[in-house]
Amino acid sequence: MGQTIVLTGMVLSAVPVGEYDRRITILTKERGKISAFARGARRPGNPLMAAGSPFSFGKFEAYEGRSSYTVVKAEIENYFRELTEDLEGTCYGFYFLEIADYYARENADEVHMLKLLYQSLRALEKKSLDNRLIRRIFELKTMVINGEYPNVFSCLKCGREEELYWFHTGSGGTLCEECRKQTVSLSLHPSTLYAMQYIITSSIEKLYTFAVSEDVLKNLAEIMNEYMAFYMERKFHSLQILEENEGFAAQNFLSVSEAENQQLQ
């Protein structure tokens, strides 16, 4: 069997294998993203049941095979139970797991990605924070970690650092009023610009410490949607479910508002 190693990480996904096993993908601090078997993880009462569930964070003792690992013991420190008991939070959480799975690589340094994922899931558990903003912070910081973030500190054409009121997706950053005249660009609110600059430059521990207005959030969402669609080649299943839920929630909110307005008339 060989010598085992202890890895600190989080389960990104789990699929059933055979009658009682699971094949899990773990984002680890020491080995990046790995694939591992959890033998008997689907058997009731098995010690590895917790290790076979997405969001499980802790230490995994495993031995390395030719193409995958086999987990023999797990000490789970956080199951994110509060998150998984909330439908909206779960949808956001699975979306974050999918993005981490998309970017992470085996035997790569994924310490920052693991830390961002953990802190973002913790943020989703806090009722005082807006999940929509958490999503945009996570998306942009993920692109920072992977070197694909936009330049929002100067004009892409002239280098000017003031009056950056426009965002050009194809060029990957901001434009000043003069330089955007010959391009089709997105309007960039000054507060949105500041928020993006803060997300890019701040440490992961300080990311979820601010709020923005609804208009700024919509502006940030518009920019991130277009930017990620341009630079990412994959469509995430969890994102489709998330956006369907967001659309339903918005529609339901409008219906309630209309009913309240009718009662006031």
Side-chain angles (χ1 to χ4, degrees):
M1 181 178 292
Q3 187 174 2
T4 61
I5 56 174
V6 177
L7 305 170
T8 300
M10 180 179 294
V11 178
L12 301 180
S13 63
V15 295
V17 176
E19 189 173 358
Y20 295 111
D21 303 339
R22 286 191 187 277
R23 187 182 183 95
I24 59 178
T25 300
I26 312 173
L27 180 61
T28 73
K29 182 172 66 175
E30 298 83 1
R31 299 288 181 93
K33 184 176 71 173
I34 68 168
S35 177
F37 285 100
R39 308 290 184 187
R42 296 166 62 203
R43 191 189 299 273
N46 188 281
L48 294 180
M49 279 190 69
S53 301
F55 302 113
S56 295
F57 175 85
K59 297 185 182 300
F60 301 81
E61 185 176 340
Y63 66 87
E64 185 176 2
R66 292 182 179 179
S67 59
S68 66
Y69 294 75
T70 297
V71 176
V72 295
K73 184 180 178 181
E75 295 180 8
I76 305 303
E77 300 173 10
N78 196 336
Y79 299 92
F80 289 95
R81 281 201 179 97
E82 291 185 18
L83 173 63
T84 55
E85 290 172 355
D86 174 64
L87 177 59
E88 181 183 279
T90 301
C91 290
Y92 278 104
F94 272 111
Y95 174 52
F96 294 175
L97 294 184
E98 272 200 271
I99 289 184
D101 194 8
Y102 173 82
Y103 274 111
R105 297 290 181 267
E106 188 174 355
N107 294 320
D109 183 0
E110 302 293 354
V111 172
H112 294 297
M113 189 67 240
L114 179 61
K115 182 184 292 186
L116 174 63
L117 181 59
Y118 186 86
Q119 293 295 340
S120 300
L121 294 181
R122 288 189 62 189
L124 287 175
E125 291 184 317
K126 297 180 180 179
K127 303 301 182 183
S128 59
L129 300 178
D130 191 325
N131 288 345
R132 297 173 301 165
L133 178 58
I134 295 172
R135 168 188 171 180
R136 302 308 175 177
I137 294 173
F138 178 82
E139 290 173 340
L140 182 52
K141 198 63 173 182
T142 295
M143 304 198 89
V144 171
I145 292 173
N146 289 278
E148 297 181 352
Y149 63 98
N151 173 18
V152 294
F153 298 93
S154 62
C155 176
L156 294 171
K157 290 187 177 181
C158 70
R160 185 176 182 178
E161 297 180 358
E162 299 176 347
E163 299 181 358
L164 305 175
Y165 300 142
W166 302 94
F167 186 89
H168 190 262
T169 303
S171 300
T174 49
L175 296 172
C176 68
E177 182 67 31
E178 184 65 27
C179 293
R180 62 83 47 178
K181 290 182 179 179
Q182 303 301 320
T183 64
V184 178
S185 306
L186 297 173
S187 176
L188 179 62
H189 192 284
S191 295
T192 306
L193 175 66
Y194 178 78
M196 294 180 74
Q197 291 174 341
Y198 180 84
I199 294 166
I200 290 171
T201 58
S202 293
S203 65
I204 293 173
E205 291 81 3
K206 295 182 179 180
L207 282 177
Y208 302 107
T209 58
F210 69 97
V212 298
S213 68
E214 189 68 24
D215 287 341
V216 169
L217 182 56
K218 289 179 179 178
N219 189 209
L220 179 60
E222 181 184 24
I223 290 171
M224 288 307 301
N225 284 344
E226 190 166 306
Y227 190 79
M228 293 188 69
F230 188 86
Y231 287 96
M232 296 182 73
E233 300 176 351
R234 177 175 168 183
K235 292 184 178 180
F236 299 100
H237 176 67
S238 55
L239 179 58
Q240 295 175 344
I241 298 174
L242 175 61
E243 290 179 340
E244 288 175 3
N245 285 337
E246 285 181 338
F248 174 79
Q251 189 175 36
N252 189 52
F253 174 78
L254 289 174
S255 298
V256 172
S257 298
E258 290 174 359
E260 290 176 344
N261 289 334
Q262 290 177 357
Q263 290 177 356
L264 292 173
Q265 292 176 356

